[in-house]
Amino acid sequence: MLITNKTKYTLVQKDGEDRKKVKKVGSLLGDTEDIERRKQLSNLALQKLSSIWIRNDKVKQVTRLNLYRALVKSILLYNCGTWSLTKQEEPKLNTFPRRQLRIISNIKYPTVIRNNALYQKTDETPKSLTILEARWRLFGHILRQAINTPPNVAMTKYFKTEGSKQRGRPKTSIVTTLRRDLKSHNNDHWPNKLHSINDLDHLRDIAQNRSDWKHLTTAVYRSAQAGTSVDVAADGH
C-alpha cells in the first residue's frame, strides 16, 4: 500500500517580502491563494473522472454524487474552516462548485436549471454555508481546549492587544468573519458580538456545553441561510 505524507509545510523567509503579507500559516500564505489552489486541485480531480460524468445512462446519480463528495468536494473544502471570506468573495465561491455540479449531473447548454433546483437535485447547499459550519465547528473545538494551547493563547493575545492596533477598517480575518457571523443572527438568547476578551470568555463558557454550542451555531447558520440569495437564480452559461 502506498502511503504518502499529507503534512504540508510553509517556508516563510525572515527577510522575504511574502512574510509581510502572511495572514495565517496554512497551506499557502493567504486565504485567496489557498482558495485558488483548492479550485485548481478540485478541477483537476474532476477532470480525471470525466469518463464517469459523461456516462449518464450507466452510472447512477447517487454514485456520481458520492464520488464527487469523496474525491472532488473534499479537495475543494480542505482546511476551509480557517478561511476568512468577505461578502464579495462568498458569491464567487458559491458559483464555482455549481459549475462542477452541472458537469457531474450532465446538465449542458442550452439546458438551464435554476440554482435552487440544482441544489435540490444534488442534495447540496451553497459552499459558503458549508464553510460557515466548518468555521464554527473548528472554533468550538478550539474553545473547548485548554486555555494554554497555542490557538487559545493566540486568541487571548489578539483581543488583549486589539485596541493598540492601527486605526482604520480592519482587514478581513478569521476573527472579523466570526464577528460578522455572530452579528447577523437575531436570537436574543445567544451573544451576538465578539469584540473583547470578555466576549471571548463568554463564548468559551458556552462551548463547554455542546448542546448550548449547537443551539448557538444553529442560530448563526439559519441567519446566514436566510441571507443567502445565490441559490435563487440560474447561473449564466
Side-chain angles (χ1 to χ4, degrees):
M1 179 183 295
L2 178 63
I3 300 177
T4 57
N5 190 351
K6 296 173 63 178
T7 304
K8 295 191 176 183
Y9 300 92
T10 300
L11 179 62
V12 181
Q13 299 289 348
K14 182 177 180 181
D15 299 325
E17 287 298 319
D18 287 341
R19 175 180 62 85
K20 301 177 182 178
K21 302 176 183 179
V22 173
K23 292 183 179 179
K24 66 175 184 179
V25 177
S27 301
L28 294 171
L29 296 181
D31 292 326
T32 301
E33 296 84 356
D34 197 7
I35 292 171
E36 288 305 313
R37 181 58 174 164
R38 291 288 110 202
K39 288 181 178 179
Q40 294 173 9
L41 292 175
S42 66
N43 258 345
L44 182 61
L46 188 79
Q47 293 170 10
K48 289 182 177 179
L49 297 171
S50 59
S51 59
I52 294 178
W53 312 139
I54 63 176
R55 300 178 65 184
N56 193 42
D57 57 334
K58 300 293 184 180
V59 182
K60 294 181 179 180
Q61 173 80 348
V62 63
T63 302
R64 295 200 303 273
L65 286 173
N66 286 337
L67 288 171
Y68 165 75
R69 290 169 185 141
L71 303 176
V72 180
K73 180 180 175 180
S74 60
I75 295 176
L76 176 63
L77 297 182
Y78 175 80
N79 204 36
C80 69
T82 66
W83 292 350
S84 52
L85 302 175
T86 65
K87 280 295 185 181
Q88 291 72 33
E89 290 172 328
E90 286 184 359
K92 297 178 182 179
L93 189 56
N94 284 330
T95 300
F96 176 80
R98 284 202 296 267
R99 294 172 185 158
Q100 295 182 329
L101 290 175
R102 284 179 169 83
I103 291 174
I104 68 171
S105 299
N106 205 22
I107 300 174
K108 302 177 182 179
Y109 181 83
T111 303
V112 177
I113 182 172
R114 296 176 69 86
N115 295 333
N116 57 350
L118 178 65
Y119 286 133
Q120 291 175 3
K121 178 180 177 64
T122 58
D123 195 25
E124 288 288 327
T125 58
K127 292 300 176 283
S128 59
L129 296 179
T130 305
I131 294 169
L132 181 144
E133 281 187 302
R135 180 164 61 240
W136 280 86
R137 189 182 307 115
L138 175 63
F139 189 35
H141 176 68
I142 292 173
L143 291 177
R144 283 187 289 271
Q145 291 181 343
I147 195 69
N148 59 348
T149 54
N152 274 301
V153 171
M155 284 194 296
T156 300
K157 184 176 181 180
Y158 175 90
F159 284 102
K160 284 186 175 180
T161 60
E162 189 176 23
S164 62
K165 294 183 180 180
Q166 61 182 12
R167 291 179 297 177
R169 185 176 182 179
K171 294 182 179 180
T172 300
S173 65
I174 191 64
V175 175
T176 59
T177 304
L178 289 167
R179 186 176 292 161
R180 187 183 68 215
D181 293 341
L182 267 179
K183 186 178 179 181
S184 66
H185 84 80
N186 55 6
N187 190 324
D188 295 334
H189 185 71
W190 303 110
N192 61 358
K193 61 180 181 178
L194 181 57
H195 294 286
S196 66
I197 190 66
N198 291 333
D199 296 334
L200 180 64
D201 288 339
H202 188 190
L203 289 173
R204 184 175 285 117
D205 290 339
I206 295 174
Q208 306 312 309
N209 186 314
R210 291 180 181 271
S211 178
D212 288 346
W213 186 252
K214 182 177 181 179
H215 283 100
L216 170 60
T217 55
T218 298
V220 172
Y221 181 89
R222 288 179 177 174
S223 176
Q225 188 179 41
T228 301
S229 58
V230 294
D231 58 339
V232 175
D235 292 322
H237 292 272

